[in-house]
Amino acid sequence: MNDTATPLESFIGYKADTGMQCGNYSIDIPKLQEGEQYRFHFDATKCVGCRCCEVACNEQNNNPADIKWRRVGEMEGGSFPDTLLLFNSMSCNHCVDPACLIGCPTNSYIKFDNGIVFHDDPSCIGCQYCTWNCPYGVPTYHEERHIVTKCHMCHERLAADQSPACVQACPSGAIEIEAVNILEWMANDIDTSGNMPHLADARLTNSTTRFTLPDNMPLEMLKADEHHLKPAHGELPLVFMTVLTQMSLGAFGALFIGDILSLFGFFKPTWIFALLALVPAALGLPLSALHLGRPLKALSAMKNLKTSWLSREAAALGAFTGLMSLNVALYFFDIATAVRLGFELVTLLVGIYGIHAQAMIYRIPARPSWDRFSTNQKFFTTAYSGLFLVALALIISGTTDSATPLLSSAMILSVIHGFFTLGAYNELKASSTPQLEKTLRLYRELFATLHTLRWITLGLGALALPLLSTLLIASGLTSLAIITLVLGFVLIVLSELMDRFLFYTTTVPLQMAGGFFVGAQRH
Amino acid sequence: MINTIKNFLGLDIKAAKYALADDPMFGRISDAKKPDKWVFSTCGYCGVGCGLYIGVRNGKAVYTKGNSAHSVNMGTLCPKGLSEHEMITSSNRLPSPMVRKNGKLQNSSWEDAFTQVSKKFKEISEKHGSSAIGVLSTGQLLTEEFYTLGKLVQLGLRTNNYDGNTTLCMASAVMGYKQSLGSDGPTGSYEDFQHANVIVLVGANISDNHPILKLHIEKNPNKPKIIVIDPRKSKTAQMADMFIPLKPRTDLALFNGLAYIVLEQGWENAEYLKANVTGLGDLRKHLQNYPPQEVANITGIDVKTLYEIARSYASSQAVLSAWTMGVNQSYMGTDTVSAIINLHLLTGQIGRPGAAPFSITGQCNAMGTRETGFTSSLPGYRNYGDEKAASEYADIINVPLELIPTQRGYKYGEIIEAIERGEIKALWVVATNPLVSFVNQTRLRKALAKLELLVVQDAFMSDTAQLSDVIFAAGTWGEKEGSYTNSERRCNRASKAVSPPGIAKSDFDIFLEFSGYFDGVRELIYPNWKTPSDAFEEWKRVSRGQLCDYSGMSYQMMELHGGIQWPCNEQFPLGSPRLYTPDIGFRTYDGKAKLLPLEWIPLQEPTGEQFPIILNTGRTVEQWHTRTKTGNIDILNDLAPEAWVDINPADASALQVKSGDRLSLSSPRGRVDDIVVRVTQTVREGNVFVPFHFNTQLINQLTTSSFCPKSGEPNYKQTAVQLHSVQVPQGIVMKSPEISGTLSYESSEVQSVPKTTGHIVQMIRPF
């Protein structure tokens, strides 16, 4: 038997005779000049859709089969025999203005001097906000690790002049690393060479990947996964958290107005009412930590107040809840009304800002169904549920004369809320945005029953039963009115939870074209 | 418990598992998978034959990395190669031989398994003659193993009813080379993709099946003109400068037509023909039946395009025609291969850099079995019936001449028919899975049920293994030593990186030990053989002087040079990149290649009212053949977990289906349900494509028992079928030919003349 040594001791210095970057484990790229960064070049005219890059990436990074940093998408256009199959092999586009980095509440993204958008694993809390923000769906949540992970252009290999795994693996030389002058790219070339069918406009985040596309491409390129209709994650902890904090804002608003009106002789709220306003938020906020991969690190979500709406929300709603707690003490120890009113005004403003920040989290181009003014409208008007809560408490405490106007206000606000909700839905019907069309299909094809239930519960809980209860109050049947209103309130909460669930689960993100079976390979 | 809590709270992000570390050979790679050693080897999937290293950590294969210094792949590997180490630890591996007891397969000792099979073989031999034993082999073993198996079957068991699954893929190329050039043996090299000015890919979807070949095309500095001839706009067709969407199974007529034009225009290479070729007169006469207009009618390719292709062959410095299953898997596959060779001979496009008619092999070592395997010829491409060759062989291996078979036994399909007739009583299936891969499954299964004994030797619990009476559990790629020969005759070294699971043995050891159960056989055919190198040394002597000459090779050379292309001897110490150069003559009796008159035959199972659609089958890059190897590798299987049917939008709308819906397909032989629809313009109206890998949607239930009479290769590629959707269960209504064309001709439009003729011919020869 022969035991001869392998022909080469090491491939690091070895250059295969391909004339391309592929095949070699080391790479020749010029040192970066001032104003330059590294980027990918993908040549779609060379790619044959063999998926070597996908597998090579996972092998390099030890990622399991369902965590794909590099994905190959398929598109088709034209008609037989002039059919064009177009492949898009994409990992991270290492943007000039990365949406992942801007939105990250924990500053876990770092744009290296060489342009690589790097994810710092230890500081990540697994909030997955980056997976929402990236218009390419690049960051992917790794359940086993409880954090998000993404392509880093094999930066450790590059630093040692070694080829990234995908570049090394491509038998067509379709994937290359290049240096790009950022200003020149942004001034001209990004519009002509930065775009690929079905990808978000490169200008959105100033993506740096250069694409070479075939000449005379058919106008319409269909995605191979066009037939997929997959609901997004339901985000149950966030469903509860958002609805409950919004309810608190409404309840606190009612408390504040009640406190002002008490100056004019109306019912004077007690510490119990102050506590009541606090309870939903106090329940909801900690719940939100449950959607984190690493809930114990929830507090670090406030690290990036400078650019992240998520940080702002966490800080503002945290403060709102804290201030509301203090406010309970102010009531309990009967601190002077003027001081308390001032304090309540500040608290209310913090709360309003908190819900504003909360809504702004969803105002992201990568999720068109969220990125609509109706999101802000709906988030604020969900506060009507807090009004109902306080009104119910008033009736229970026997002050029906104060309760009735509040109940009317609650009903009016709920009608406004209903209109905003309906408007948002009707907007889907009128839209030709592919993502919004799919959102509508999700409503109709997968969640029709839930959607109907949402409206029935809203109609009953926010209108029919409250009206009945006012009649009952007028008739002096207070205990029956209470029962009616409790039932109504339960229905309202259910209705808003359903609506919020639908909000999350029917969103369809901007995403690259995927594979026929696997789609874009994102959960 | 603490870990569960830690895990739930995300306290452990498993940084170590996903960290990188420095490897001296490949640089920074996964730390958790960093190998203790790298083992030089060659990929065990397809016939491209990529050089690679297997990374081994604690006795387990953890990495497969391309060898940058290997001329075949220059560091790259396809997705199957990149994940090949996972195949070794696949959950359907067989760790132990098994014997069926009380109707159930149970683990057994080797002794039990060997005793039971040898006893039965002897019993059947005595009662019905040794030819009542049939053997179906493969293209997956090592060359040393093929040679060893061939000897055991032909000289030990003494049955010539022995064939391989290579008959399902390459047999037509083998027989075509033989009848035109005098011997099997692919003529070209991968480097010819780099030298050619024109690359013709006919019936070859290399993007899915041999993606690494794209590297060689990409390296070509001449910006070659790429002509893709295929009824389907495949991934490969996307590379084409000229896409030729010929009608299904009209390839032979196309090449005849091109040859006609070459001769008509005087474009033939007269000098080359005079010196090297016979049969020009007969061919010229025969081709009168294939004038351009007639060929245009048959193929659906217009006359102008035919001239353009013919001119490309005639006027280019170097033309490479590469083909795979589209050509081979045909009831006239052998003659189609010869028709391609005819064109290359006429234009002198052979034996020069970049010029070759070149078959691309499907399996990693289909070549090895062709050279050594004792199926289509005696070892070393010695023809059956050639007495001189037979006695030469008997002398070299020191066995009595009467032991050497004088004629080829049944081919694959004939073996199945012989089982049907009750002629063959026992079948030994080695590393192949006919229960997915063979045509007309209903008929096959009925036949196999008649067997008295079915032995399956495999590394995986295949569909066929599940049906067997005895299983010989074998080692697979990475677990054994030897060599593979790739499509370009390059003999590559395959090494053992890890041991087979449980008590499974390498195929070589199985053959050796099994032979010991037959009196005197082991001593006679394997004298003092212990390791595969003993087989290799004998094989080198056997092949000396033959076209596939290994006599100058050694394992060390294979490693050092990244494989050696035979012939390798004193004249070509480092092998030869191509055959039929001025130094290597044709292996015919007169030393000249033969131009052959070849007849095109219309579809044997034409479409009709009941079955109006043509079904084409093939492969996808993520899966390997019948998925015994790839079905349990998630990263591959997830990408293509089930079969699908490619269907033109026009047919989809007739069936009221869209992508993602489900269809059934039926043919006169059966019905396959629950195939997911993929609406696509890559197939023409009236044509569908379904990959054959999947036992879950067993498309070979529909295919027909129609074989090339010369090679025995089944015609997988055209089956008349009907499609049934939930909305339109009765299926597609056949469109009647447009005879109204005649009217429009009379009404003035001169342009419609060729069109009209086309329709009339279409009526005569419905496609």
Side-chain angles (χ1 to χ4, degrees), chain A residues 97-111:
Chain A
D97 299 304
C100 56
L101 181 149
I102 294 165
C104 177
T106 54
N107 288 322
S108 295
Y109 283 90
I110 303 161
K111 177 108 178 143

Side-chain angles (χ1 to χ4, degrees), chain B residues 9-300:
Chain B
L9 295 174
L11 291 173
D12 183 7
I13 59 167
K14 305 195 173 50
K17 185 174 172 187
Y18 294 95
L20 302 184
D22 274 316
D23 174 78
M25 257 177 91
F26 295 100
R28 292 197 71 75
I29 56 169
S30 164
D31 187 30
K33 298 204 300 173
K34 195 183 149 196
D36 319 322
K37 61 170 178 180
W38 291 99
V39 179
F40 179 98
S41 197
T42 303
C43 182
Y45 278 113
C46 85
V48 172
C50 295
L52 50 75
Y53 283 82
I54 306 169
V56 181
R57 182 187 174 102
N58 302 328
K60 200 182 155 215
V62 290
Y63 252 124
T64 324
K65 287 215 163 264
N67 178 348
S68 299
H70 200 282
S71 69
V72 166
N73 52 315
M74 290 170 259
T76 62
L77 288 176
C78 82
K80 293 190 285 288
L82 285 164
S83 57
E84 200 159 6
H85 51 278
E86 287 192 47
M87 181 262 289
I88 293 178
T89 51
S90 171
S91 59
N92 62 341
R93 287 300 304 275
L94 290 162
S96 161
M98 300 180 96
V99 170
R100 192 175 291 277
K101 283 181 193 145
N102 307 321
K104 264 186 84 177
L105 280 167
Q106 290 169 359
N107 285 351
S108 77
S109 68
W110 277 106
E111 205 188 335
D112 275 359
F114 284 149
T115 308
Q116 185 157 338
V117 176
S118 57
K119 233 174 88 186
K120 190 78 189 170
F121 275 4
K122 287 176 205 164
E123 196 185 298
I124 288 172
S125 274
E126 270 162 36
K127 222 157 120 191
H128 307 282
S130 57
S131 58
I133 299 166
V135 181
L136 285 178
S137 148
T138 176
Q140 296 285 307
L141 305 185
L142 296 151
T143 298
E144 294 77 356
E145 294 173 337
F146 279 127
Y147 183 57
T148 307
L149 172 64
K151 285 184 88 177
L152 178 58
V153 175
Q154 298 270 15
L155 311 180
L157 303 179
R158 306 208 59 181
T159 174
N160 61 359
N161 290 327
Y162 168 42
D163 201 5
N165 66 6
T166 44
T167 287
L168 308 185
C169 62
M170 295 312 296
S172 296
V174 173
M175 300 313 282
Y177 283 136
K178 273 189 175 184
Q179 70 173 2
S180 291
L181 308 174
S183 170
D184 183 17
T187 64
S189 255
Y190 298 154
E191 65 171 67
D192 289 326
F193 282 106
Q194 299 165 36
H195 298 309
N197 305 88
V198 175
I199 297 170
V200 180
L201 297 167
V202 48
N205 182 12
I206 62 168
S207 296
D208 271 308
N209 304 326
H210 308 99
I212 300 305
L213 294 183
K214 179 76 195 306
L215 183 69
H216 296 273
I217 297 179
E218 208 54 57
K219 273 194 72 183
N220 190 321
N222 310 327
K223 288 258 163 250
K225 176 174 181 175
I226 300 177
I227 302 175
V228 175
I229 304 173
D230 204 306
R232 193 161 68 104
K233 190 80 185 263
S234 62
K235 284 181 184 176
T236 305
Q238 303 300 319
M239 314 174 191
D241 298 296
M242 244 179 118
F243 172 53
I244 310 300
L246 84 175
K247 290 184 196 164
R249 199 45 75 224
T250 59
D251 38 11
L252 199 159
L254 175 74
F255 281 92
N256 273 354
L258 297 176
Y260 176 102
I261 294 170
V262 166
L263 288 174
E264 174 202 65
Q265 296 294 316
W267 288 343
E268 72 270 24
N269 186 333
E271 205 181 321
Y272 183 84
L273 288 174
K274 204 170 159 207
N276 299 291
V277 175
T278 60
L280 181 59
D282 286 346
L283 179 66
R284 197 186 289 274
K285 215 184 310 167
H286 174 73
L287 288 178
Q288 295 316 304
N289 297 328
Y290 295 89
Q293 186 57 62
E294 172 72 7
V295 171
N297 294 338
I298 296 170
T299 58

Side-chain angles (χ1 to χ4, degrees), chain A residues 1-12 14-20 22-25 45-56 58-66 68 74 76-87 121-124 142-147 152 156-157 160 162 168-173 224 227 290 292-297 441 516-518 521, chain B residues 7-15 17-18 20 22-30 32-33 38-40 53 62-69 74-79 82-83 85-86 207 211-212 214-215 218-219 231-235 238-239 243 245 481 493 531 533 555-556 559-560 621-622 634-636 638-644 648 659-660 676-684:
Chain A
M1 284 318 299
N2 84 95
D3 283 306
T4 42
T6 51
L8 286 163
E9 286 296 303
S10 166
F11 281 105
I12 298 309
Y14 185 84
K15 281 285 183 322
D17 175 29
T18 55
M20 299 170 258
C22 68
N24 298 319
Y25 292 94
T45 65
K46 290 185 176 173
C47 178
V48 298
C50 66
R51 297 178 181 274
C52 295
C53 48
E54 269 191 45
V55 178
N58 279 38
E59 283 296 320
Q60 168 67 27
N61 297 298
N62 200 22
N63 281 333
D66 59 339
K68 288 275 179 69
E74 301 168 37
E76 185 186 311
S79 56
F80 190 89
D82 301 316
T83 321
L84 177 73
L85 291 178
L86 182 71
F87 300 100
D121 294 347
S123 62
C124 175
H142 195 315
E143 277 193 43
E144 182 201 358
R145 303 187 64 186
H146 299 268
I147 54 170
H152 42 50
E156 290 182 42
R157 290 187 62 88
Q162 297 165 9
Q168 193 280 331
C170 178
S172 289
H227 60 290
L290 287 181
L292 300 179
R294 308 173 74 191
L296 290 188
K297 299 193 75 170
R441 282 189 57 198
F516 178 76
F517 286 109
V518 285
Q521 308 193 60
Chain B
N7 207 8
F8 176 74
L9 295 174
L11 291 173
D12 183 7
I13 59 167
K14 305 195 173 50
K17 185 174 172 187
Y18 294 95
L20 302 184
D22 274 316
D23 174 78
M25 257 177 91
F26 295 100
R28 292 197 71 75
I29 56 169
S30 164
K33 298 204 300 173
W38 291 99
V39 179
F40 179 98
Y53 283 82
V62 290
Y63 252 124
T64 324
K65 287 215 163 264
N67 178 348
S68 299
M74 290 170 259
T76 62
L77 288 176
C78 82
L82 285 164
S83 57
H85 51 278
E86 287 192 47
S207 296
I212 300 305
K214 179 76 195 306
L215 183 69
E218 208 54 57
K219 273 194 72 183
R232 193 161 68 104
K233 190 80 185 263
S234 62
K235 284 181 184 176
Q238 303 300 319
M239 314 174 191
F243 172 53
E481 299 279 337
R493 181 86 175 111
T531 64
S533 65
Y555 287 151
Q556 284 88 344
E559 284 208 20
L560 195 62
V621 67
E622 298 88 356
D634 288 344
I635 198 164
L636 300 174
D638 290 354
L639 293 166
E642 58 173 312
W644 69 91
N648 185 279
S659 284
V676 64
V677 170
R678 180 173 183 164
V679 179
T680 171
Q681 290 279 6
T682 56
V683 291
R684 198 197 295 263

Side-chain angles (χ1 to χ4, degrees), chain B residues 664-686:
Chain B
S664 299
L665 273 72
S666 68
S667 84
R669 289 155 296 280
R671 183 181 166 105
V672 181
D673 294 315
D674 200 31
I675 305 189
V676 64
V677 170
R678 180 173 183 164
V679 179
T680 171
Q681 290 279 6
T682 56
V683 291
R684 198 197 295 263
E685 185 180 356

Side-chain angles (χ1 to χ4, degrees), chain B residues 659-733:
Chain B
S659 284
D661 292 346
R662 300 272 160 173
L663 267 190
S664 299
L665 273 72
S666 68
S667 84
R669 289 155 296 280
R671 183 181 166 105
V672 181
D673 294 315
D674 200 31
I675 305 189
V676 64
V677 170
R678 180 173 183 164
V679 179
T680 171
Q681 290 279 6
T682 56
V683 291
R684 198 197 295 263
E685 185 180 356
N687 291 256
V688 295
F689 172 86
V690 179
F692 71 74
H693 305 288
F694 300 89
N695 57 2
T696 43
Q697 293 92 5
L698 188 59
I699 204 65
N700 275 321
Q701 281 174 278
L702 308 184
T703 48
T704 167
S705 310
S706 157
F707 303 93
C708 171
K710 292 177 180 169
S711 67
E713 185 150 346
N715 191 82
Y716 284 100
K717 298 287 185 184
Q718 296 84 24
T719 305
V721 296
Q722 180 57 284
L723 310 173
H724 313 272
S725 61
V726 176
Q727 294 84 350
V728 189
Q730 70 279 15
I732 301 268
V733 179

